[in-house]
Amino acid sequence: MDFEIEDTRKNVLKLKNLIDAGAVTLQTALDWLRTIHEIRFFEEKVFDLLGQNIIKGASHLYAGQEAVATGAIAAITEKDVIGSTHRGHGHCGAIGNKHAKTEEQRRQHWNRMMAELMGKQTGYCGGRGGSMHIADVSKGNLGSTGIVGGNIPPAVGAALAEKYKKTGAVVLSFFGDGSTNTGSFHESMNMASVLNIPLVAIIENNLYGMSVPYQKVEVEHTGCASNITDIAERAHAYNVPAMIVDGQDVVAVFLAVTKAAKRAREKSMMTIIECKTYRWYGHSRSDPRKYRTKEEEQAWHDRDPIIVLSKKLITEKLATQEQLDEIKQKANDTIEAATQFGIDSPWPDVADLEKDVYVSETCESALIDKERQTAAKAVEATAAFEKAMAASTAKTKKEKTKQSQGKIKEQFDLDIMTMGQAVIAAQAEEMRRDKNVILMGEDVGLYGGAYQASKGLVQEFGTDRVIDTAISEAAIVGAGVGAAIRGIRPITEIMYVDFVTIASDQLMHNGAFNRYMFGGHAKVPMVVRTEGGVGRCIAAHHSKSLEPWLINIPGLYVVMPSTPYDAKGLLKAAIRSDNPVVFIEHKATYGQLGAVPAGDYIIPLGVADIKKPGNDVTIVSYSRMAMWSLQAAHLLAEQHGIDAEVIDLRTLKPMDIDTVAESVKKTGRLVTVAESFLMCGTGREITGRFMEYEFADGSHGFDYLDAAPVNLAAADCPPPMSEPLELASIPSVDRIVKAVRKML
């Protein structure tokens, strides 16, 4: 399909025709004018309060663009959803008015908006989001983001969720012309087009991205952001319909979005709408607007959305000037009252500073009890399997494995499976248990994942629930965020942890921060599955261990299993968690075999596992290094008479420092082993937490050390490709043994 771009700017759009046709009522049209006035007065008041330092921080004003938010949101229903931007006061204002049924509700809406910008407890987000992150998720406002273009991927995910749930809802994604030059825009538009989702992408082209004109202007020393005049032309790249409308005319916007929303609802097809508009103020209050002329500003002011709509109402004999003056005064009174409400409101209690960063974990006690009962049995069965393999007389490894698996099944009633198979089993069981669990990412479907960790899932659950995507990490993770907020539990797969760097904006600023920024009114129950570590000689861009970066992010959980048993139980817990979880598998462990119970069990997040008890030294590790630490502990015992205790953290965040502290209190010695880099790494974090740890009697971890802690980690160089160099770049079993012996 090749769509022509529909340009309605030259059309004569009479408001009376809409009213006569029954598309809107006169009262609705008059309310549009009131909403536009309220947004304008709100922005003028915010500008003034910024100058008085009553409102602090950055605030990007929407004045001049009011017709876009008002007309677009008037064209949708209350079940529909919007995604906003850093210049989002207008969107929040318009959707709040839409949901307000009484004058009191309307006043409270504007009160909460103003209080939020002032950082007060009574604000929509309790003062935590402020101007650039205001949201009301309960009313379908997904919130705004301070990162240009960062709000678009979650809107795609929200539309995917509405399509999957068959709600009939559509999603409006508002963003500016500056966003259309970001990778997030292109990734998102491509994904939305391919997935055929009910999205209306509304570009508010106010001609300037901060100080850079979108297209060339006659002002000395200015550049330009693009070589095209109409952003809507880019719709051809995604093979979707597009429209260009007069963004100063609320009627034009209403008609365009009505048409696009109908298409989205009936055909599940995206439309791109470019609204030509203008911002009255600069990018922010400190912007002197040197990049545009006074003549240009005056020409746009002559087409003020208030003037355009007021003229229609008067010339088409729909209202009198007296009525329009009353609407203006009512709007002004609403904003004046909101301002006083904000000033009079209390500040947030600093005692609640860390409240609502995470959702409290709730695990089914029966499943936890089952896990406790089977954990030791799984360890015993795995050891028995290894002995059976060593004793087997079968000719091939495959025959030995099959024969030994049968013995373990008969003796322990446990399955012997690889780490990869355990990951598949966890996902399959959770997808059977909860129809809202979906999987999306690169090659997860027909190909079964780069490491076959989703093999067979698409055959069982179909392409609606196992979704192959383009190579678009930001869109994948961002869509996961939006889908999660709208009630889906997505597993988003990123092929290598190295590629999380590309999606870091979505993972941190939206996935991890949204709950807190939105005052605890949102949940983001998503899992980002990925893998890391060296072991396949594929060099620095595919071999890193970036967990120290990830555990630094508030609001994010980080899980790294070391055995098939742990992988299944932890992944099931991660999928059920209401927190965003990064689940990192190790590429060199997918073929590792171990005993795993059939059926449902979960391992609670944030609980470490003592893989081997001991009295002489505590070795703390995770992922593949936990297994290498265990090998080292056995060598220390057999060859040197040293009794090492090995702790597998399993979950790096939240970190079970209690188990570590009790162990080191007993042994007096601490060795950490990690495959990530040493500087600011997990080993240093573990050590620092232990040193500061306060026991019940008031003593601290430092008091119980008989030797300086040792932190083994990767060399301070990018992971090399050559196998000898790759092996030398990380801790080895031999290095662990030598470090412990030296310490003792």
Side-chain angles (χ1 to χ4, degrees), residues 201-380:
I202 302 175
I203 305 166
E204 300 188 72
N205 185 357
N206 62 25
L207 308 187
Y208 296 92
M210 196 164 178
S211 69
V212 179
Y214 188 78
Q215 59 198 62
K216 192 65 180 174
V217 297
E218 300 303 318
V219 176
E220 190 177 11
H221 304 306
T222 58
C224 69
S226 175
N227 276 334
I228 61 173
T229 300
D230 299 321
I231 304 172
E233 292 286 344
R234 291 182 172 172
H236 290 306
Y238 312 112
N239 199 21
V240 297
M243 305 172 73
I244 302 173
V245 301
D246 179 2
Q248 305 305 93
D249 185 351
V250 68
V251 175
V253 177
F254 173 79
L255 288 170
V257 176
T258 297
K259 182 176 181 179
K262 184 174 187 291
R263 179 186 289 129
R265 230 179 288 279
E266 295 178 356
K267 298 182 179 180
S268 195
M269 179 183 291
M270 174 178 71
T271 302
I272 293 176
I273 301 176
E274 180 184 359
C275 299
K276 302 286 191 179
T277 185
Y278 202 74
R279 67 183 192 218
W280 273 197
Y281 297 99
H283 173 69
S284 57
R285 197 180 193 282
S286 60
D287 181 359
R289 310 195 305 277
K290 292 180 180 180
Y291 44 83
R292 63 194 200 189
T293 65
K294 297 297 183 184
E295 293 76 15
E296 178 188 284
E297 289 187 342
Q298 186 57 54
W300 280 95
H301 276 275
D302 290 343
R303 298 207 69 256
D304 187 314
I306 294 173
I307 294 174
V308 172
L309 180 55
S310 296
K311 186 176 180 181
K312 287 181 188 288
L313 289 165
I314 293 293
T315 60
E316 296 177 28
K317 301 187 186 316
L318 297 171
T320 65
Q321 187 60 51
E322 183 180 7
Q323 286 177 296
L324 301 191
D325 291 342
E326 288 177 3
I327 289 171
K328 181 178 180 180
Q329 186 59 50
K330 187 177 285 188
N332 184 69
D333 292 344
T334 299
I335 302 308
E336 287 294 336
T339 303
Q340 193 60 50
F341 175 86
I343 291 171
D344 293 341
S345 290
W347 294 104
D349 188 343
V350 294
D352 293 332
L353 173 64
E354 297 181 9
K355 182 182 178 183
D356 293 323
V357 178
Y358 304 94
V359 183
S360 298
E361 292 293 328
T362 55
C363 298
E364 297 176 46
S365 57
L367 294 179
I368 296 173
D369 291 341
K370 180 179 178 181
E371 189 275 325
R372 288 170 180 160
Q373 294 165 12
T374 58
K377 186 179 179 182
V379 172
E380 184 183 357

Side-chain angles (χ1 to χ4, degrees), residues 96-172:
N97 277 357
K98 187 178 193 70
H99 284 269
K101 302 304 179 188
T102 65
E103 280 294 320
E104 177 59 24
Q105 289 176 354
R106 191 173 188 133
R107 283 194 296 272
Q108 286 302 317
H109 158 58
W110 288 103
N111 288 353
R112 294 182 71 189
M113 276 191 65
M114 188 63 81
E116 182 59 34
L117 267 67
M118 292 183 184
K120 298 298 184 72
Q121 179 63 48
T122 53
Y124 267 119
C125 307
R128 294 175 179 178
S131 173
M132 290 189 288
H133 313 113
I134 197 166
D136 184 6
V137 291
S138 67
K139 299 295 193 300
N141 182 354
L142 292 174
S144 50
T145 171
I147 308 298
V148 172
N151 63 305
I152 310 175
V156 171
L160 176 64
E162 301 306 323
K163 178 183 178 181
Y164 177 76
K165 294 187 297 181
K166 297 181 173 58
T167 63
V170 302
V171 177
L172 305 187

Side-chain angles (χ1 to χ4, degrees), residues 559-560 566 570 603 607-609 611 622 648-652:
V559 180
M560 298 184 70
D566 290 339
L570 290 168
I603 298 173
V607 179
D609 183 36
K611 288 287 193 272
Y622 55 90
D648 180 359
L649 287 177
R650 302 194 293 196
T651 302
L652 299 186

Side-chain angles (χ1 to χ4, degrees), residues 588-608:
T589 65
Y590 280 114
Q592 176 185 328
L593 289 160
V596 177
D600 202 11
Y601 73 97
I602 58 172
I603 298 173
L605 303 182
V607 179

